[in-house]
Structures are given as structure tokens and as C-alpha cells.
Amino acid sequence: MPKVGENLSKEAHAAGQRRLKPQQQEFLNNYLHKDMTQTEAARQAGYKNPTVYAVRLLQNPVVQERLQEMRLEAQARFGVTVDKSIRDLKKMRDDAWQAGKISEAIRAEELRLKAAGLLINKQHVVKEEITANTKQDIANKLADFKRLAESRMVNVTPDMGIIEHDPQDIAEDSE
């Protein structure tokens, strides 16, 4: 695959090869080397609608090919493979479990599932510029969030006035 900015030969262009754009390469650098989510990587690369572009970029065959190349380069450079990492995390999980360190075992298993692609963190970070807002604007926005949260909450606290005890139940409990 040609490097970013490298001109393609007529034969390569005729064969359907495409060149990676600098912004696409920056997205891949952010995504792979800076441990960002795909959306954050697209945002940092300067895409206007990062959520949409992140998905499109990862479906683009040219970007997929370069991502695979970059992963192989990292494996060769650092001697790290997904299989080895998953195997090591399984050993850590088993050792922690045997030692009775349940929380460490759970964390190792969580990391192992993430590395295998079986557990996906669906947390989304939304950034909004608030420096231009007044105190009142921010207070109104917080009030909106509070109303939204309250509308989704369910009160599960029992009403003590409604709960009645049968005297026979109390007598049975004391026996």
C-alpha cells in the first residue's frame, strides 16, 4: 500500500488502489497508537461529524488495509500479539482466582474479553463548549438534565403507612 501522500503509478491506480489521505492516517494513528475510541480518534483528526465518520472510516477498504498493516508493524516491533495478550490475561485471571483475589480476577477477565472483541465499552463522550455560556445558561442546562433524570427514575421506596403487619406473622417470627 502506498504511503500517505505518495503518488500512485498508473498501473496501481488502474488496479483500483487508493492513497490514504493525511486526515485518515491521523485518525488511524489516534485510534491505534493513542488508545482513543473510534469517535474520539475521528474528532481529534478533525472530522466534523466524528461518530458517523469513525464508522465510515473503519468500513473503508483502504483504511482497513492500512489499519491491518499498522497492527502487523506494531506486532513486529513490540512482539505483542492479541493471542499472546489474551493467553497472558487468562493466566493472570486464573492466578488471581486461585489466590482469592476476586476483583483482580474479574478485571483480568474483563480485559481479556475486551482484547478478544467480545466486550465492547459503549460509553460515549460528548464534548460541548461551555466557556461561552453564562452561569444562568449552565444552571438551566443542569436543571434540564435533572428533569430528564427524574423522569427516568422509579421510586422504589416502600410507603411505611401502607405496610401492615399481621399479628399472627409477628407471633410466628418470635417462636
Side-chain angles (χ1 to χ4, degrees), residues 11 15 19 34 57 67-68 72 123 135 145-147 163 172:
E11 297 82 24
R19 175 176 63 211
K34 295 182 181 174
L57 286 166
L67 179 60
Q68 184 63 26
L72 291 173
Q123 178 181 2
K135 267 186 166 181
F145 286 138
K146 183 178 177 185
R147 279 191 292 280
I163 299 175
E172 290 174 2

Side-chain angles (χ1 to χ4, degrees), residues 1-174:
M1 167 172 245
K3 301 291 183 213
V4 175
E6 181 180 312
N7 289 328
L8 295 174
S9 66
K10 287 183 181 179
E11 297 82 24
H13 192 42
Q17 273 193 337
R18 297 282 183 255
R19 175 176 63 211
L20 208 62
K21 296 175 183 154
Q23 193 174 23
Q24 292 171 326
Q25 182 63 52
E26 185 178 349
F27 164 78
L28 288 174
N29 290 339
N30 292 337
Y31 183 62
L32 193 63
H33 298 304
K34 295 182 181 174
D35 198 29
M36 293 181 186
T37 64
Q38 62 189 32
T39 302
E40 184 61 23
R43 181 179 290 114
Q44 293 297 318
Y47 287 95
K48 291 187 191 302
N49 193 344
T51 306
V52 172
Y53 273 98
V55 173
R56 286 184 186 165
L57 286 166
L58 291 175
Q59 291 174 348
N60 180 323
V62 177
V63 173
Q64 285 179 348
E65 183 181 347
R66 180 64 184 136
L67 179 60
Q68 184 63 26
E69 284 178 0
M70 290 172 70
R71 284 184 173 150
L72 291 173
E73 289 169 4
Q75 286 176 1
R77 190 173 337 138
F78 301 116
V80 175
T81 65
V82 172
D83 292 337
K84 182 179 181 309
S85 295
I86 290 173
R87 188 175 51 246
D88 291 347
L89 285 166
K90 182 181 182 302
K91 182 176 179 351
M92 287 178 212
R93 181 208 59 194
D94 293 344
D95 291 348
W97 186 263
Q98 292 298 321
K101 298 177 179 177
I102 306 303
S103 63
E104 291 176 19
I106 290 170
R107 180 68 179 145
E109 182 64 7
E110 178 186 353
L111 292 172
R112 192 170 80 100
L113 291 170
K114 284 181 178 179
L118 298 173
L119 183 65
I120 300 168
N121 185 1
K122 295 190 176 192
Q123 178 181 2
H124 293 280
V125 177
V126 178
K127 292 184 177 178
E128 186 177 329
E129 184 63 41
I130 63 166
T131 55
N133 293 343
T134 65
K135 267 186 166 181
Q136 189 57 46
D137 292 338
I138 295 170
N140 291 341
K141 189 102 172 160
L142 286 172
D144 290 343
F145 286 138
K146 183 178 177 185
R147 279 191 292 280
L148 180 63
E150 287 172 347
S151 72
R152 295 179 179 177
M153 288 185 209
V154 177
N155 186 357
V156 295
T157 307
D159 186 356
M160 297 309 287
I162 296 176
I163 299 175
E164 295 179 16
H165 295 283
D166 186 0
Q168 188 175 7
D169 290 340
I170 295 171
E172 290 174 2
D173 287 342
S174 62

